[in-house]
Amino acid sequence: MKKNITQFVAALLLAAPVLRAEEEKKVETEVAVQVAKITRATLRRAVTAYGVVEPEPLASARLAPAQPGIVAEVNAVEGQHVEKGAVIFRLDSRAVDAAVAKAEMAIEFAQKNADRQKKLIAAEGTSEKLVLEAQQALASAKTELATAKVQQSLLTGEAPIAGTIVSLTARPGEPADATTPLAQILDLDRLTATVHVPRADAADLRVEQKAELLAGGDAAPIESVVTFVSPQVDAATDTVLVRLAVSKGAGLRPGQFVSARIFSEERKDRLAVPAASVVKDGEGGAVIAIVEDGKATQKPVKTGLREGSLVEVEGEGLSEGQTVVTVGAYGLPKETKVRVLNAETK
């Protein structure tokens, strides 16, 4: 009896490894995951900033009278497009017009007198002194006319640039002075987006770098470029002023709020994976799980630029088209069987 028990125990000990192996085989499970492909892409480093749409520095003008007076006529309306030199308003010029007429009459009289003295000097019927006095009187009359015409021109408000009248406060019969603009003109075809970039980010910005403008909502991004990077830092906000070009017909308006993405770096033809596929291993290093023959195996990677949902990766043995785990990558063992849920991306 004792011998039989000993033999039974020995048999159990011999069979234990086989039983454990079969049990482990039975409990081996598949982890459900979703996957994607390693792709090649152009990735860009972007600086995000916010600001407003404004006219270019030389595409805006405020028109005020050169001297005080009473508005006599207004020749435009708000929203009207005007060419450079167009008369927008005139001030009452009756007093100056009278001065011009008086100066013109004085010139006519002085001219006749000067001509008469020239004829008399030829016939020795006058003196050199009277000839000089007549010539001086003519020159003085011409100077008075020129001065009066300048005063006359100062009473006319002419558009200094071509553009659209966005504000017009001139009203006939109302007083005007040289300190208060009566009209504002904008060239709506020459707009710029003025944004403020944190000082640390602005260090990488240069003129001609590509950018995108976003006007909110579902509007598509508008392509742009950097046209100006201020050399100064705003001490109050620790930001740098940056201007971006707004293309003609972009549909933006002065005063409109926009956000901008300025691309300070671009890397072409780089291996990229969905950001969700990059996780940390036990040592804190970045890894991705490559799926081959139903198994996911972790591969250490070095990450680079990230744009949108993609992140640049470098690593031994990586190639375009390989399958990586996305959903389910976090906490995945270094090597395990997987069951792919989104079969269409396999």
Side-chain angles (χ1 to χ4, degrees):
M1 183 66 177
K2 187 175 181 180
K3 182 178 179 181
N4 291 337
I5 293 173
T6 300
Q7 290 175 342
F8 178 72
V9 170
L12 287 176
L13 292 174
L14 291 173
V18 177
L19 292 174
R20 278 199 302 271
E22 291 180 353
E23 184 178 355
E24 289 176 357
K25 187 174 182 180
K26 289 180 182 179
V27 299
E28 184 177 6
T29 58
E30 295 178 332
V31 179
V33 298
Q34 293 185 17
V35 297
K37 298 291 186 180
I38 297 179
T39 60
R40 286 196 174 274
T42 297
L43 299 175
R44 301 169 295 183
R45 187 189 307 279
V47 174
T48 301
Y50 304 90
V52 295
V53 177
E54 298 176 338
E56 292 179 3
L58 298 180
S60 173
R62 295 179 183 272
L63 185 59
Q67 62 183 36
I70 303 298
V71 178
E73 62 180 72
V74 179
N75 302 317
V77 295
E78 289 182 346
Q80 177 181 341
H81 179 83
V82 294
E83 297 298 329
K84 181 179 180 179
V87 176
I88 308 302
F89 60 83
R90 295 182 191 273
L91 301 186
D92 189 337
S93 62
R94 286 175 293 181
V96 177
D97 292 344
V100 170
K102 181 180 178 181
E104 288 175 341
M105 290 179 63
I107 288 177
E108 183 179 357
F109 176 80
Q111 185 68 59
K112 289 180 179 179
N113 186 41
D115 293 342
R116 177 173 172 272
Q117 292 297 326
K118 286 181 180 179
K119 291 179 181 179
L120 291 175
I121 194 70
E124 298 183 355
T126 188
S127 64
E128 291 284 347
K129 179 181 178 182
L130 291 177
V131 173
L132 291 174
E133 288 177 350
Q135 291 176 342
Q136 289 175 351
L138 177 59
S140 177
K142 289 182 177 180
T143 300
E144 289 181 4
L145 177 60
T147 302
K149 286 190 172 181
V150 169
Q151 292 297 319
Q152 194 177 50
S153 68
L154 295 178
L155 299 176
T156 301
E158 297 182 356
I161 62 172
T164 300
I165 299 176
V166 297
S167 174
L168 183 63
T169 58
R171 299 291 183 270
E174 293 186 354
D177 60 69
T179 62
T180 305
L182 298 182
Q184 182 180 11
I185 303 172
L186 300 181
D187 186 346
L188 300 179
D189 290 334
R190 293 191 292 160
L191 299 178
T192 184
T194 301
V195 300
H196 296 273
V197 178
R199 174 179 50 81
D201 294 333
D204 295 328
L205 301 187
R206 302 288 184 273
V207 172
E208 297 297 333
Q209 284 177 335
K210 295 180 180 179
E212 289 180 347
L213 297 175
L214 301 171
D218 297 328
I222 299 170
E223 293 185 0
S224 180
V225 295
V226 176
T227 59
F228 174 75
V229 180
S230 175
Q232 296 181 317
V233 176
D234 186 334
T237 61
D238 197 32
T239 59
V240 173
L241 183 147
V242 176
R243 291 195 181 101
L244 308 170
V246 175
S247 58
K248 182 178 178 180
L252 300 180
R253 297 185 177 184
Q256 185 173 354
F257 179 81
V258 292
S259 62
R261 297 178 68 226
I262 305 170
F263 302 112
S264 59
E265 183 180 358
E266 182 177 271
R267 298 182 182 179
K268 297 181 178 180
D269 196 32
R270 301 301 176 102
L271 292 179
V273 297
S277 65
V278 181
V279 296
K280 299 291 186 181
D281 60 12
E283 289 74 36
V287 295
I288 59 175
I290 301 294
V291 178
E292 292 179 334
D293 299 328
K295 285 189 176 182
T297 304
Q298 284 187 352
K299 299 283 188 180
V301 294
K302 179 182 177 181
T303 59
L305 292 184
R306 175 171 177 170
E307 182 178 0
S309 62
L310 293 178
V311 60
E312 176 189 1
V313 291
E314 296 180 6
E316 185 178 353
L318 299 185
S319 61
E320 181 181 4
Q322 287 181 310
T323 302
V324 294
V325 176
T326 55
V327 178
Y330 183 78
L332 203 65
K334 290 186 176 182
E335 186 173 332
T336 185
K337 290 186 67 176
V338 292
R339 177 165 52 89
V340 176
L341 298 180
N342 55 335
E344 69 275 6
T345 62
K346 292 174 66 176

